[in-house]
């Protein structure tokens, strides 16, 4: 059983806080991603977990034992973790097998045991035929697998990955992503994964911590993060969205020109998000206003459209002047300038910024 | 914004006491060592020069003495003249060769490269001996040939003159300019030259208007280095200026050590040399900074310029320089080493192996000097490499907050000419309480101080080029800092380490000026012995010793080139 806890972790460089009061708990075997834009403090957080950086405030606990605090840090070599670096950091002076067996050698295992375990791990990552090669003789993808093998060979308590796919080209990326996921399933190592690519984080993680300017904006499962973003930043960072400003008033969310029932919350200003995928377009000619329980039909006009192959991307304007974007299936074709009904499920309009921050209910 | 830290019941947090950190111990040790190597000797320069020789206490009298005595001022003036002429001569030797090798289709470019390497390898004092044998006014080979051909008794050339001295020094230092100039030429994209050609400039005008101006900052920077090298040089002036009866600054310095030794005066006399060095080194760095901006047009393909008949002019120039700098001195040294009497024609009767037999098996002084030289060079190179590596690692990886202090201390001896450094070490450690005068250890320590900057700078760029993640990977996978150093950093940088070791070994094995005040008959090295043997006129044994030195050096350099690539000695840094 491994639990990793970060409590109020802060790293300040002068007055600038690279990581700001960050708390989270990883459960045993969990795969958690730190997701955020460049410079938001992901690497700094990861390196604090690894023990390379001493926090300015806060603590890190591994299985309840304090391993980092401003007053002292257990050095990286005694944290029983492993890490995959952005550069892979494969030691060029050692063969593949020596690289992979290094951690075992540090544990002072007997020689034959090291050889056995190394061979085993190399087999899992399908590198057994390259055991005697030097890294310079390997392709990028193979080097990546060596790094992966080296990191899992130790059976570490926690595995840390810092944008391990960013140096690979698009095809290799997907292969490696599933390889990492496969390793995780196979060995069940508690994992912290750093990335700025939301699609990557979505595909691979049990939970994602969206980080902005050193703080956690939202910590949730990929699906909830997408369907129920709780902050403006999270809503905008995860997928594309339409943000609507309005008010909450006597149990309804009121926007310019329409309103929908609200599930509670205090009265006052409010920000809501609705994904382009949740909008559907219907032709609007003179005549009846469509109606359907739980659906909202807003009159609008197509001002712009781009064909993206898998879908249309429409720019729409409501009568009130509010702009929206919608995604439409390729076979439904609305010309620029056409008058349309925009059908929105009321439940798809998610209040964002007024909700109290909370951890996802699992 | 944050998740509640859940506390599992029964779980307790245990505080770890911060562990003892060895990095600070290593840092403290290195700092202490640098105090011994650098701070203590160099501080003597300031202390002694302001100290009254008899009463002690602060005084400016030493400086007054230095700047009012005509003889001393003349020595400075001669040194300036000498350095100026040497710079001009070296530019004339180096620049056409650098241009030919780097930019043109001149034939024999590989040969020119080896000519430069050869000139670099021949120790200055051996080159000087070679030229004394070639161009001494009476017995020199060139003058006797001249007399034989024309019947004139007046010598054609006289090496014992200011011009002769400058010429011999230039033959030895021109590789510096060659190195800087080629690396600047190499950075100029030939597209710049082609652009000039497209706009109607011929190859000559292109060179004059485009290529040379672009390389100018680097060449000027190298000129300053040559200037500094010349004012600091002791061996060649001792061999040539002393018999020619004129004084330069370095030969003047040795007279302060004649009985009674006047260290305070020597120190005060050295201060201007150190100041000039500091100013010129600073200027040189500024110059090179400007230079890199000017020639940053890197990356364009480089086509050798077709220069037509000029190729043969450049080829002839290269051959001439090679003859003067390498072939003639080497040939004369080799023939002399196998001669019974060097002034007689090198005929069968005159040939012998006796000289080698003597230096290797008979003459205890020579054997001791050879043994001592390689002992000092081996230890010096090893210590420089290890220390330079440790300091470079500490500094580049910023392992302690004050690491840059180490860097500053390490490189500061470059501001001090070797002979001045020798005086500093003499003042600091020769007398009581340590009384190290005459010990090999004192030589080793002084050589390490002098050459540590080279090792440090070179290894710093090696460490800097390494991704720190390689070391972090060691640590996160369970290895300590020391293991990261021994199992990853050192093996990855092994070529750099070997290159530095060889370079320092070679320059230690021929260093003269730093050894000058620190050797007695107990710890003489080959370079010092050269002066003695030359004074005694024992040129045959001297030549044999020189040939031995050259053979060993060449072998070491050849090994280096085999493992490290052709230009590891001639890289600029
Ligand atoms: N040693 C340092 N001194 C000062 N500021 C630093 C230092 N290290 C990092 N920072 C700053 O801290 C912030 C967070 O850096 P960090 O490397 O954690 O970002 P990141 O989220 O990993 O970004 P990226 O996606 O670009 O890798 C950045 O603004 C960076 O400039
Ligand atoms: Mg990063």
């Amino acid at each position: 059983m491994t639990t990793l806890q970060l409590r109020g972790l802060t790293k300040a460089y002068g007055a600038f806080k690279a990581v700001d009061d960050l708390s989270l708990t990883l459960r045993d075997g969990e795969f958690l991603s730190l997701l955020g834009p460049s410079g938001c403090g992901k690497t700094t957080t990861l390196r604090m977990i690894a023990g390379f950086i001493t926090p300015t405030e806060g603590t890190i606990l591994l299985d309840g034992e304090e391993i980092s605090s401003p007053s002292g840090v257990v050095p990286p070599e005694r944290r029983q973790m492993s890490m995959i670096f952005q550069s892979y950091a494969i030691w060029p002076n050692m063969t593949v097998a020596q690289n992979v067996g290094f951690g075992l050698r540090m544990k002072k295992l007997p020689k034959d045991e090291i050889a056995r375990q190394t061979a085993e791990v190399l087999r899992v990552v399908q590198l057994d035929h390259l055991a005697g090669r030097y890294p310079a003789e390997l392709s990028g993808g193979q080097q990546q697998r060596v790094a992966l093998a080296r990191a899992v060979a130790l059976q570490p308590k926690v595995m840390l990955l810092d944008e391990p796919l960013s140096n690979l080209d698009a095809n290799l990326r997907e292969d490696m992503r599933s390889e990492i996921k496969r390793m995780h399933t196979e060995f069940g190592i508690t994992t912290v994964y750093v990335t700025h690519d939301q699609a990557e984080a979505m595909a691979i993680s049990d939970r994602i911590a969206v980080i902005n300017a050193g703080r956690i904006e939202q910590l949730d499962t990929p699906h909830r993060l997408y369907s129920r973003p709780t902050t403006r930043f999270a809503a905008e960072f995860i997928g594309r969205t339409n943000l609507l400003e309005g008010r909450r008033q006597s149990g309804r969310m009121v926007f310019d020109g329409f309103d929908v029932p609200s599930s509670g919350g205090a009265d006052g200003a409010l920000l809501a998000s609705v994904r382009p995928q949740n909008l559907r377009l219907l032709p609007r000619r003179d005549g009846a206003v469509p109606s359907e329980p739980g659906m909202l039909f807003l009159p609008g006009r197509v001002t712009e459209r781009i064909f993206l192959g898998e879908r249309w991307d429409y720019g729409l304007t409501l009568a009130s002047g509010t702009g929206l974007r919608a995604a439409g299936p390729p076979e439904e074709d609305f010309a620029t300038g056409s008058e349309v009904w925009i059908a929105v499920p009321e439940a798809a309009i998610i209040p964002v910024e007024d909700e109290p921050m909370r951890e996802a209910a699992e | 914004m944050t998740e509640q830290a859940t506390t599992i019941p029964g779980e307790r947090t245990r505080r770890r006491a911060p562990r003892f950190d060895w990095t600070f111990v290593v840092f403290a040790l290195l700092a202490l060592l640098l105090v011994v190597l650098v701070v203590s000797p160099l501080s003597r320069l300031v202390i002694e020069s302001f100290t009254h020789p008899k009463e002690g206490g602060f005084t400016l009298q030493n400086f007054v003495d230095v700047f009012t005595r005509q003889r001393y001022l003349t020595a400075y003036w001669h040194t300036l003249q000498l350095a100026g002429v040497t710079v001009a001569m070296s530019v004339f030797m180096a620049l056409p060769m650098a241009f030919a090798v780097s930019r043109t289709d001149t034939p024999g470019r590989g040969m020119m490269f080896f000519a430069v390497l050869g000139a670099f390898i021949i120790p200055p004092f051996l080159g000087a001996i070679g030229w004394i044998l070639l161009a001494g006014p009476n017995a020199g080979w060139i003058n006797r040939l001249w007399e034989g051909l024309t019947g004139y008794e007046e010598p054609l050339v006289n090496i014992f003159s200011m011009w002769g001295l400058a010429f011999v020094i230039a033959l030895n230092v021109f590789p510096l300019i060659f190195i800087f100039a080629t690396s600047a030429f190499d950075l100029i994209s030939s597209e710049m030259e082609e652009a000039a050609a497209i706009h109607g400039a011929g190859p000559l005008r292109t060179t004059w208007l485009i290529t040379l101006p672009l390389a100018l900052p680097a060449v000027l920077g190298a000129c300053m280095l040559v200037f500094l090298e010349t004012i600091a040089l002791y061996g060649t002036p001792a061999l040539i200026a002393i018999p020619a009866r004129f004084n330069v600054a370095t030969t003047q310095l040795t007279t302060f050590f004649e009985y009674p030794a006047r260290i305070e005066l020597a120190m005060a006399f050295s201060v201007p040399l150190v100041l000039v060095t500091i100013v010129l080194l600073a200027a040189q760095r500024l110059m090179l900074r400007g230079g890199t901006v000017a020639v940053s047009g890197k990356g364009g393909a480089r086509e050798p310029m077709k220069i037509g008949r000029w190729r043969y002019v450049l080829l002839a120039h290269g051959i001439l320089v090679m003859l003067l700098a390498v072939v003639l001195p080497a040939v004369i040294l080799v023939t002399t080493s196998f001669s019974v009497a060097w002034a007689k024609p090198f005929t069968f009767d005159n040939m012998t192996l006796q000289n080698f037999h003597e230096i290797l098996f008979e003459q205890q002084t020579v054997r001791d000097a050879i043994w001592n030289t390689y002992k000092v060079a081996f230890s010096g190179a090893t210590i420089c490499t290890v220390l330079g590596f440790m300091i470079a690692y500490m500094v580049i990886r910023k392992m302690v907050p004050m690491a840059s202090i180490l860097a500053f201390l390490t490189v500061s001896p470059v501001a001090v000419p070797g002979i001045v450094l020798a005086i500093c070490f003499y003042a600091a450690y020769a007398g009581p309480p340590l009384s190290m005068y005459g010990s090999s250890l004192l030589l080793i320590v002084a050589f390490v101080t002098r050459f540590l900057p080279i090792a440090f700078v070179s290894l710093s760029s090696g460490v800097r080029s390494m991704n720190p993640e390689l070391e972090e990977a060691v640590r996160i996978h369970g290895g300590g800092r020391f293991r990261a150093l021994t199992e990853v950093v050192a093996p990855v940088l092994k070529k750099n380490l070997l290159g530095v070791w060889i370079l320092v070994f070679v320059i230690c094995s021929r260093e003269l000026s730093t050894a000058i005040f620190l050797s007695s008959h107990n710890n003489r090295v080959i370079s010092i012995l050269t002066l003695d043997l030359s004074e005694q006129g024992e040129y045959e044994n001297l030549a044999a010793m020189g040939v031995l030195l050259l053979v060993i050096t060449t072998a070491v350099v050849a090994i280096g080139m085999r493992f490290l690539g052709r230009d590891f000695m001639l890289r600029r840094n």
Side-chain angles (χ1 to χ4, degrees), chain B residues 197-280:
Chain B
I198 284 287
H199 292 94
L204 254 188
R205 291 195 45 194
T206 306
T207 303
W208 191 247
L209 294 177
I210 309 288
T211 316
L212 284 182
L214 283 176
L216 191 63
V219 173
L220 281 181
C223 285
M224 294 178 183
L225 291 187
V226 166
F227 190 94
L228 292 177
E229 191 84 353
T230 309
I231 65 172
L233 198 63
Y234 175 70
T236 317
L239 289 164
I240 293 176
I242 292 178
R245 302 183 159 283
F246 68 91
N247 228 3
V248 296
T250 48
T251 53
Q252 177 59 48
L253 271 176
T254 53
T255 63
F256 293 122
F257 282 77
E258 284 157 11
Y259 190 82
R262 305 186 60 192
I263 305 233
E264 302 77 17
L265 222 49
M267 289 293 197
F269 189 83
S270 304
V271 168
L273 298 180
V274 174
L275 291 181
V276 168
T277 309
I278 292 173
V279 169
L280 283 189

Side-chain angles (χ1 to χ4, degrees), chain B residues 89 286 487:
Chain B
M89 286 182 169
L286 280 180
E487 293 210 17

Side-chain angles (χ1 to χ4, degrees), chain A residues 13 16 18 37-44 163 196:
Chain A
Y13 292 110
F16 169 74
S38 183
C40 70
K42 307 179 295 287
T43 298
T44 309
E163 311 212 17
H196 62 254

Side-chain angles (χ1 to χ4, degrees), chain A residues 47-101:
Chain A
R47 292 170 59 84
M48 281 196 278
I49 300 175
F52 292 120
I53 299 181
T54 309
T56 339
E57 276 171 53
T59 53
I60 301 175
L61 281 73
L62 183 63
D63 296 338
E65 207 168 288
E66 186 175 290
I67 53 171
S68 277
S69 75
S71 63
V73 166
V74 175
E77 58 265 32
R78 289 193 290 109
R79 293 189 158 222
Q80 293 172 289
M81 298 183 176
S82 71
M83 184 160 175
I84 296 185
F85 294 85
Q86 203 163 359
S87 67
Y88 313 153
I90 312 282
W91 301 305
N93 56 317
M94 300 184 199
T95 62
V96 168
Q98 284 168 337
N99 264 282
V100 174

Side-chain angles (χ1 to χ4, degrees), chain A residues 1-253:
Chain A
M1 275 293 283
T2 300
T3 54
L4 179 70
Q5 274 185 51
L6 318 188
R7 287 185 178 168
L9 205 59
T10 300
K11 179 68 199 179
Y13 292 110
F16 169 74
K17 287 185 172 170
V19 175
D20 190 2
D21 190 23
L22 193 139
S23 298
L24 53 81
T25 302
L26 269 91
R27 281 175 281 274
D28 188 44
E30 189 177 19
F31 196 118
L32 182 131
S33 292
L34 304 178
L35 173 66
S38 183
C40 70
K42 307 179 295 287
T43 298
T44 309
T45 308
L46 200 72
R47 292 170 59 84
M48 281 196 278
I49 300 175
F52 292 120
I53 299 181
T54 309
T56 339
E57 276 171 53
T59 53
I60 301 175
L61 281 73
L62 183 63
D63 296 338
E65 207 168 288
E66 186 175 290
I67 53 171
S68 277
S69 75
S71 63
V73 166
V74 175
E77 58 265 32
R78 289 193 290 109
R79 293 189 158 222
Q80 293 172 289
M81 298 183 176
S82 71
M83 184 160 175
I84 296 185
F85 294 85
Q86 203 163 359
S87 67
Y88 313 153
I90 312 282
W91 301 305
N93 56 317
M94 300 184 199
T95 62
V96 168
Q98 284 168 337
N99 264 282
V100 174
F102 182 87
L104 303 169
R105 188 153 64 83
M106 293 303 107
K107 275 190 176 168
K108 306 223 160 56
L109 293 188
K111 273 222 171 68
D112 47 343
E113 184 59 23
I114 296 176
R116 198 187 60 73
Q117 291 194 20
T118 304
E120 169 67 20
V121 178
L122 283 177
R123 200 182 48 71
V124 175
V125 295
Q126 293 154 20
L127 283 175
D128 29 0
H129 58 298
L130 299 178
R133 291 258 197 110
Y134 281 92
E137 303 158 2
L138 301 180
S139 73
Q142 289 166 338
Q143 291 187 12
Q144 237 272 328
R145 298 221 292 275
V146 175
L148 193 54
R150 185 175 68 182
V152 295
L154 269 172
Q155 301 282 347
K157 286 190 166 172
V158 179
M159 184 154 89
L160 308 171
L161 300 94
D162 191 357
E163 311 212 17
L165 306 184
S166 61
N167 284 340
L168 298 177
D169 58 36
N171 294 335
L172 268 180
R173 267 180 166 206
E174 288 204 1
D175 290 354
M176 268 332 293
R177 196 175 70 194
S178 28
E179 187 79 22
I180 291 172
K181 190 69 197 172
R182 190 167 73 82
M183 284 295 128
H184 180 252
T185 322
E186 174 134 4
F187 295 102
I189 302 168
T190 310
T191 303
V192 184
Y193 184 97
V194 160
T195 179
H196 62 254
D197 180 336
Q198 46 124 342
E200 201 176 295
M202 292 287 217
I204 206 168
S205 319
D206 295 329
R207 283 194 301 163
I208 298 175
V210 177
I211 300 183
N212 180 30
R215 300 176 145 266
I216 296 187
E217 291 271 343
Q218 188 174 355
L219 176 63
D220 236 326
T221 61
H223 180 256
R224 281 192 60 88
L225 209 51
Y226 186 82
S227 57
R228 316 260 342 151
T230 56
T231 69
R232 172 193 279 264
F233 181 86
E236 281 181 321
F237 197 75
I238 307 286
R240 284 155 36 96
T241 197
N242 296 296
L243 288 173
L244 303 168
E245 282 175 23
R247 278 168 297 112
R248 182 180 278 114
Q249 208 173 320
S250 43
R252 295 187 76 79
M253 295 189 278

